[in-house]
């Protein structure tokens, strides 16, 4: 087991370095282009105190997200420690930041929930439903800002095309998800096909058909039960998730508002939030780890008309440091503790700052 832990640790460290290299390289590239064009950095109205406010708001966003998850867990009759809920969301942020298209976030959250008393099926259904509501809340916020506050957003060219692509992709994904929930026979056909494919292509793998099918049956049963609990039996938890996510996004997107204030740029907070919502709908289409590179260029292209070329580089640096680098490193500490506890078969009781409050 120690060899497996070392392998996983080294692999994750490489992923972290890839993400950092792309992100920092893109930011450096923005400064280099500005310098090449003879545009100097303007810090004449710099107020660093607003950056402290931005850090406070991002931490509050984490706490709100953890509380959302903690309360949602009660729909399954589970009472998990708040520290475990906070670790779950921090682990999700970390793995989302170092995997292509943020695909690692959900499995990381599932791992912590599993170690907190959920079955894999229960953790999977919770994470899947919350992932759906994450996107739904972004769409609700966008509609509220447009139709009730009359605030417009600016997306052009490839960004606008990506937004349209997201809506088509997400709609198709939701259809397939609910289709397979009601066509269980097709799921087992796909599982049997996967078993035959694995035996043919990877003959050294050792497993029995019965074990795989039993695991899938248990997982699928828990998964369907989770959807039934939240969608039919306890729908108020769905409402709580939307409210929790809305508060999380308001605090999270406020980081951009404070970063602008730090540079002496005064834009209404609602306008700053409205400009970020559609971007976060399409960042999942960027295939780099944590969407690095594409995020910096996208946010820079949207906000340059507010900051001007003289301040855009510093804005991207401040914004990315607080919304990406800070949760990445904080989440890494939490997740590596979870990974070590999982591989070492150590119970996860409290994970911030220590993984285990009790020893076996």
């Amino acid at each position: 087991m120690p060899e497996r832990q070392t392998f996983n640790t080294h692999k994750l460290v490489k992923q972290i370095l890839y993400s950092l290299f792309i992100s920092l390289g893109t930011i450096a590239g923005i400064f280099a282009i500005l310098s090449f064009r003879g545009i100097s950095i303007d810090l004449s109205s710099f107020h660093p105190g607003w950056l402290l406010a931005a850090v406070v708001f991002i931490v509050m966003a984490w706490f709100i997200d953890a509380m959302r998850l903690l309360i949602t867990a009660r729909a399954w009759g589970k009472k998990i420690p708040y520290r475990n809920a906070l670790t779950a969301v921090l682990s999700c942020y970390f793995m989302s930041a170092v995997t292509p298209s943020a695909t690692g976030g959900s499995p990381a959250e599932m791992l912590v929930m599993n170690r907190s008393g959920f079955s894999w099926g229960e953790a999977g259904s919770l994470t899947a439903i919350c992932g759906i509501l994450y996107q739904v809340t972004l769409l609700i916020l966008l509609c509220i800002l447009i139709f009730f506050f009359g605030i417009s957003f600016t997306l052009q060219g490839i960004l606008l095309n990506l937004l349209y692509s997201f809506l088509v992709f997400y709609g198709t994904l939701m259809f397939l998800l609910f289709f397979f929930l009601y066509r269980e026979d097709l799921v087992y056909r796909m599982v049997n096909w996967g078993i035959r494919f694995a035996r043919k292509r990877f003959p050294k793998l050792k497993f029995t058909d019965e074990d795989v099918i039993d695991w899938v049956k248990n997982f699928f049963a828990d998964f369907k039960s989770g959807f039934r609990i939240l969608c039919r039996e306890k729908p108020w938890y769905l409402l709580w998730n939307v409210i929790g996510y809305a508060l999380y996004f308001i605090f999270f997107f406020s980081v951009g508002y404070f970063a602008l204030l730090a540079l002496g740029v005064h834009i209404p907070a609602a306008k700053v939030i409205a400009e970020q919502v559609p971007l976060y709908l399409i960042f999942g289409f960027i295939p780099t780890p944590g969407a690095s590179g594409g995020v910096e260029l996208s946010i820079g292209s949207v906000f340059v008309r507010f900051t001007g070329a003289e301040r855009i580089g510093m804005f991207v640096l401040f914004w990315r440091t607080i919304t990406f680098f800070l949760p990445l490193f904080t989440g890494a500490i939490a997740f590596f503790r979870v990974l070590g506890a999982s591989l070492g078969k150590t119970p996860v009781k409290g994970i911030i700052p220590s993984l285990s409050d009790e020893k076996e």
Side-chain angles (χ1 to χ4, degrees):
M1 295 306 293
E3 294 179 359
R4 175 67 180 274
Q5 183 173 359
T6 302
F7 170 78
N8 285 334
T9 301
H10 288 169
K11 185 176 181 180
L12 284 175
V13 168
K14 288 182 179 180
Q15 289 178 280
I16 294 172
L17 294 177
Y18 289 149
S19 187
L20 290 175
F21 176 79
I22 297 172
S23 184
L24 291 173
T26 304
I27 295 174
I30 293 174
F31 280 106
I33 293 173
L34 295 175
S35 177
F36 178 77
R37 294 184 176 181
I39 301 173
S40 59
I41 299 174
D42 184 4
L43 292 176
S44 58
S45 302
F46 181 50
H47 303 285
W50 289 115
L51 295 180
L52 178 60
V55 172
V56 171
F57 265 61
I58 196 69
V59 173
M60 288 300 297
W62 301 346
F63 289 155
I64 290 170
D65 203 14
M67 182 59 67
R68 175 199 59 77
L69 185 62
L70 176 72
I71 295 177
T72 304
R74 296 177 182 175
W76 279 263
K78 310 285 186 179
K79 292 185 178 181
I80 64 175
Y82 181 78
R83 286 174 294 181
N84 284 29
L86 183 58
T87 299
V89 298
L90 287 174
S91 299
C92 180
Y93 303 156
F94 164 64
M95 287 303 294
S96 295
V98 299
T99 51
S101 301
T103 52
S106 295
E109 185 174 282
M110 288 174 59
L111 172 63
V112 180
M113 300 310 292
N114 176 254
R115 296 288 291 169
S116 299
F118 281 72
S119 69
W120 283 110
E122 291 171 337
S125 60
L126 182 148
T127 302
I129 295 172
C130 290
I132 294 171
L133 294 176
Y134 176 97
Q135 305 291 352
V136 169
T137 305
L138 279 172
L139 291 172
I140 292 174
L141 278 178
L142 190 61
C143 292
I144 291 175
L145 289 167
I146 292 175
F147 296 109
F148 289 92
F149 289 90
I151 298 174
S152 61
F153 62 91
T154 304
L155 280 184
Q156 298 177 351
I158 189 173
L159 293 179
L160 186 59
N161 292 332
L162 283 175
L163 179 60
Y164 291 146
S165 299
F166 163 79
L167 295 175
V168 173
F169 173 80
Y170 195 66
T172 304
L173 190 63
M174 292 303 98
F175 169 78
L176 292 175
L177 175 61
F178 287 101
F179 175 77
F180 284 118
L181 282 175
Y182 288 96
R183 289 299 305 273
E184 191 171 345
D185 58 314
L186 294 179
V187 175
Y188 294 127
R189 289 183 188 178
M190 293 175 63
V191 170
N192 288 325
W193 177 87
I195 291 174
R196 293 193 299 270
F197 178 82
R199 289 197 179 281
K200 182 178 180 181
R201 297 296 297 273
F202 308 101
K204 293 184 179 181
L205 290 178
K206 296 181 179 179
F207 61 87
T208 64
D209 295 3
E210 293 77 12
D211 288 341
V212 173
I213 294 175
D214 286 343
W215 187 90
V216 171
K217 284 183 177 180
N218 292 332
F219 179 90
F220 197 69
D222 288 339
F223 197 85
K224 291 181 66 176
S225 175
F227 268 89
R228 185 176 64 253
I229 288 173
L230 283 186
C231 296
R232 294 182 181 179
E233 298 176 5
K234 302 177 181 179
W236 52 91
Y237 284 100
L238 287 179
L239 178 61
W240 160 246
N241 267 275
V242 172
I243 295 173
Y245 272 131
L247 292 173
Y248 165 80
F249 285 130
I250 290 172
F251 276 81
F252 184 91
F253 292 147
S254 294
V255 171
Y257 173 70
F258 290 119
L260 290 172
L261 289 179
L263 293 169
V265 180
H266 297 270
I267 303 295
K271 178 65 174 175
V272 177
I273 293 174
E275 294 289 350
Q276 295 177 77
V277 172
L279 291 176
Y280 270 80
L281 285 170
I282 63 178
F283 281 162
F285 279 90
I286 301 175
T288 56
S292 297
V295 170
E296 292 81 4
L297 293 175
S298 299
I299 204 76
S301 67
V302 169
F303 280 89
V304 67
R305 63 193 183 95
F306 302 123
T307 64
E310 298 82 5
R311 295 185 177 94
I312 189 59
M314 295 303 298
F315 170 75
V316 174
L317 176 62
F318 293 154
W319 178 83
R320 194 62 165 158
T321 297
I322 297 172
T323 63
F324 181 72
F325 300 140
L326 181 60
L328 187 153
F329 288 114
T330 306
I333 295 172
F335 184 71
F336 277 122
R337 290 178 182 273
V338 174
L339 185 64
S342 179
L343 293 173
K345 305 302 181 182
T346 305
V348 180
K349 300 295 183 181
I351 311 181
I352 305 287
S354 172
L355 263 178
S356 180
D357 294 331
E358 300 178 8
K359 295 183 179 179
E360 286 184 325

